[in-house]
Amino acid sequence: PSPAMETDTPDQDGAVRDAPFKAGTIGVALSLPALILLATTWHWEFGVITALLGLPPMLVLYLWWRPNRSACSLAHVIVAFGQGFWLLGSCATVLGVFAFYGAQVFATVIVVALFAWLPPLVQVLAVLVGGLCAFIAVEEACKLAYARWALRRRMRKAAVVGRASAAAKPFVIGAASASLGHASALSIILSLLVTRVFLADARIDSSEFGTIVLYAFLFAAASMP
């Protein structure tokens, strides 16, 4: 069984009893601090950005989970966030990048063949918008696929103890945790690209660091659920 399902099965009365964290859950919980330390060893500025984009969402999830602790365990929330951060954050982003460039090639062919009379700036914007739409569509499709998979596992697990009706609320909490984890990962990846741009001269001054922070918060505001 997956770590997400090991400690959050409802009892016959519908309540969830917290159990000690499994090794997988502890690994997921420690993976983000490890990533922050790794980012800091590269450039401390990016380490700060990673912490700002990763730790507050986990704190929000914890505060949200506390009033709902009878519905699911903390392990379920942590693992769902980790699956969104690592699994969706990597797979969905890679597929989204392929879709982005593929859609740009397709859009370029269409624009050149049918809309060559448009001003060059409009043509470039049309190609860019086509790529962004494809990227977002693939990202959302991956999140939907994950949510359907998680719901099926949750329903099967809850049905074992005759509490299938108790699966809805933990599923919502888990899906929101995964979505937040994915948004954090995507924001960190985009912030990494911005940081690389400002590292063209091998250093980042205070003004550039402030600009990177601004971009990071814009990415977070656009992607966070």
Side-chain angles (χ1 to χ4, degrees):
S2 69
M5 300 297 175
E6 289 177 347
T7 59
D8 59 351
T9 302
D11 292 339
Q12 293 292 342
D13 61 357
V16 170
R17 311 293 185 235
D18 275 326
F21 284 174
K22 304 292 185 181
T25 305
I26 296 175
V28 171
L30 295 178
S31 62
L32 184 57
L35 177 63
I36 294 172
L37 290 177
L38 182 62
T40 304
T41 61
W42 177 55
H43 278 284
W44 71 265
E45 296 92 346
F46 185 63
V48 173
I49 296 297
T50 303
L52 290 175
L53 293 174
L55 296 181
M58 294 192 71
L59 176 60
V60 170
L61 282 177
Y62 176 75
L63 296 177
W64 185 38
W65 165 78
R66 283 187 60 85
N68 302 286
R69 60 195 310 164
S70 62
C72 69
S73 69
L74 182 59
H76 172 63
V77 175
I78 292 174
V79 173
F81 181 89
Q83 288 173 342
F85 190 91
W86 294 108
L87 181 62
L88 286 177
S90 57
C91 295
T93 301
V94 170
L95 293 175
V97 169
F98 278 111
F100 175 80
Y101 286 110
Q104 281 195 320
V105 171
F106 179 76
T108 299
V109 172
I110 297 298
V111 168
V112 171
L114 302 178
F115 303 100
W117 49 271
L118 290 172
L121 179 59
V122 176
Q123 295 183 33
V124 171
L125 289 176
V127 171
L128 179 60
V129 169
L132 289 175
C133 288
F135 179 86
I136 293 172
V138 169
E139 292 267 312
E140 294 301 318
C142 289
K143 288 193 289 186
L144 177 60
Y146 169 85
R148 291 175 63 88
W149 169 80
L151 179 59
R152 286 196 298 269
R153 289 186 64 87
R154 167 68 48 184
M155 292 296 291
R156 287 198 300 267
K157 199 72 175 181
V160 171
V161 294
R163 296 287 304 181
S165 60
K169 193 169 185 178
F171 163 72
V172 171
I173 297 174
S177 301
S179 181
L180 194 57
H182 168 258
S184 297
L186 181 59
S187 299
I188 290 173
I189 292 172
L190 294 176
S191 298
L192 172 62
L193 298 178
V194 174
T195 304
R196 289 290 301 175
V197 171
F198 282 100
L199 279 173
D201 57 355
R203 61 182 298 274
I204 298 176
D205 58 33
S206 58
S207 176
E208 291 173 335
F209 179 58
T211 303
I212 295 174
V213 172
L214 176 61
Y215 272 110
F217 278 104
L218 289 176
F219 295 145
S223 61
M224 295 290 179

